[in-house]
Amino acid sequence: MSQALAHIDGRPIGPGQPPYVVAEMSGNHNGELGRALDLISAAADAGADAVKIQTYTADTITLDHDGPGFRIEGGLWDGRRLHELYAEAHTPWDWHAPMFEHARKAGVTLFSSPFDFTAVDLLESLGAPAYKIASFELVDLPLIRRCAATGRPLVMSTGMASPAEIAEAVEAARGAGAKDLIVLHCTSAYPAPMSSMNLATLPDMAARFGVLAGLSDHTLGTAASVAAVALGACFIEKHFTLSRADGGVDSAFSLEPAELAELVSSCRGAWEALGGVAYGPGEAEAGNAGMRRSLYVSASVRKGEVLTAANIRSVRPGHGLAPRHYDAVLGRRATRDIPFGEPLDWSMVEGGEAG
């Protein structure tokens, strides 16, 4: 059984609702509070439902160590030490209060991914409306339980996770009290190749785990997110920057403001286009019904003359008999003179419809 609607900051999310679009700031503030506030404003202007940040310090997420595993090998951050990278990318905790206040004034929801219990405590003190568990933290069941115990809506990304790990995380969240639960399909590559996305997982995830399913999208562009909405994703998260040219730890795979606005528009358009099962004519087609084909007199016919392929044709517009009656009409006689260009009806045909 699938879950009912979730709600974040009063906004319903799930079946029958437009996709919830989240702009992920991550470290794209480039260490400047003013830029962080500008990112919030730009996301609001682009129509995003929410902005997401990350709440950690280098010391709460890793160790200041250079041993095996503490230096990144390959990818966008090749050669960087984890502690160094996170020190650059983190959002200082004393920024959080002004950022939440700015988001309220801008009319956009702000929430965060906490990475330890102290981060949850900080966010609780600021009235954060929801929590997000990042893909790399999905195996941290104590953190999941701590976030779920707040009673806030909980979003969890599943990059790299096996079905057993996802089931364990969902069970931990629900066991600790999570009710508004959204699970995101994710490919933890930066950027993620289109061929790696496997978006067909989305409906399977929703059915298998009984959750609302969405997408955390690290691809370049917006196509994957729009396709995800067509497959039922109710929640879309995408990294966001003011300008890729300005650099930043995540800028290479982040959307700029105009692209974020296009993402919002395209995702909501895709959702609107899904509609329900329907066969025409629909309301939007009503004005064109008269342009379908029908039977017309293509050469003047005298009363008593036989109707043939030489004087009856199937043409546009659609004001005569339907073309399916063509064979039934041929070989019968006209009941009156019929001028060229007149739509055919049964009163003009000897014997009428019953004949």
Side-chain angles (χ1 to χ4, degrees):
M1 179 183 298
S2 63
Q3 179 182 294
L5 294 178
H7 294 78
I8 294 179
D9 209 13
R11 161 74 147 83
I13 304 169
Q17 301 296 321
Y20 191 81
V21 179
V22 177
E24 165 65 82
M25 183 186 300
S26 184
N28 285 332
H29 49 64
N30 294 357
E32 301 172 13
L33 175 57
R35 186 181 177 91
L37 301 181
D38 288 345
L39 278 160
I40 292 170
S41 296
D45 290 344
D49 293 287
V51 175
K52 194 185 77 64
I53 59 175
Q54 299 178 5
T55 305
Y56 63 85
T57 69
D59 291 324
T60 64
I61 197 171
T62 191
L63 302 177
D64 189 1
H65 188 57
D66 198 17
F70 286 88
R71 189 175 291 275
I72 300 170
E73 297 180 6
L76 188 62
W77 305 295
D78 184 43
R80 300 288 300 272
R81 283 200 313 121
L82 290 181
H83 194 275
E84 172 198 4
L85 179 66
Y86 296 136
E88 176 186 332
H90 85 288
T91 301
W93 289 21
D94 60 0
W95 290 9
H96 281 57
M99 290 173 70
F100 273 91
E101 177 61 24
H102 187 76
R104 281 189 285 271
K105 290 178 179 176
V108 67
T109 295
L110 182 70
F111 67 100
S112 184
S113 293
F115 289 80
D116 78 324
F117 287 15
T118 64
V120 179
D121 292 341
L122 170 66
L123 293 165
E124 279 293 290
S125 74
L126 295 170
Y131 292 106
K132 160 78 185 296
I133 301 296
S135 287
F136 291 75
E137 278 58 49
L138 191 74
V139 293
D140 191 342
L141 301 184
L143 179 62
I144 290 173
R145 294 189 187 101
R146 176 67 182 91
C147 291
T150 67
R152 310 274 189 186
L154 184 60
V155 183
M156 301 195 299
S157 272
T158 61
M160 304 169 293
S162 68
E165 288 170 332
I166 297 171
E168 193 173 36
V170 168
E171 181 180 3
R174 287 184 169 151
K179 294 182 174 59
D180 288 353
L181 182 62
I182 300 169
V183 178
L184 307 185
H185 177 56
C186 178
T187 299
S188 292
Y190 308 93
M194 282 291 188
S195 59
S196 74
M197 292 304 288
N198 294 312
L199 295 179
T201 305
L202 282 161
D204 181 81
M205 175 181 285
R208 184 183 299 214
F209 302 107
V211 296
L212 298 175
L215 179 69
S216 177
D217 181 10
H218 299 143
T219 64
L220 302 177
T222 61
S225 290
V226 174
V229 172
L231 287 167
C234 65
F235 185 110
I236 299 293
E237 179 185 89
K238 192 81 173 170
H239 282 247
F240 173 56
T241 185
L242 293 177
S243 171
R244 285 187 292 273
D246 292 345
V249 293
D250 294 336
S251 61
F253 57 93
S254 298
L255 298 181
E256 295 181 348
E259 295 166 332
L260 179 62
E262 177 61 28
L263 173 76
V264 171
S265 175
S266 295
C267 285
R268 291 180 182 160
W271 170 79
E272 188 174 7
L274 281 174
V277 176
Y279 296 93
E283 182 178 347
E285 300 170 301
N288 288 324
M291 292 307 296
R292 303 175 85 185
R293 298 180 80 95
S294 66
L295 301 183
Y296 270 75
V297 175
S298 57
S300 295
V301 176
R302 306 281 297 178
K303 180 178 178 180
E305 186 178 345
V306 174
L307 302 177
T308 70
N311 53 35
I312 299 297
R313 287 179 56 196
S314 170
V315 297
R316 294 182 183 185
H319 304 302
L321 293 177
R324 67 176 178 274
H325 299 301
Y326 182 71
D327 290 341
V329 165
L330 295 185
R332 294 162 71 176
R333 297 183 181 276
T335 59
R336 63 171 176 82
D337 292 347
I338 313 173
F340 166 76
E342 190 161 336
L344 195 67
D345 68 53
W346 285 117
S347 70
M348 305 171 185
V349 181
E350 192 176 68
E353 185 174 7

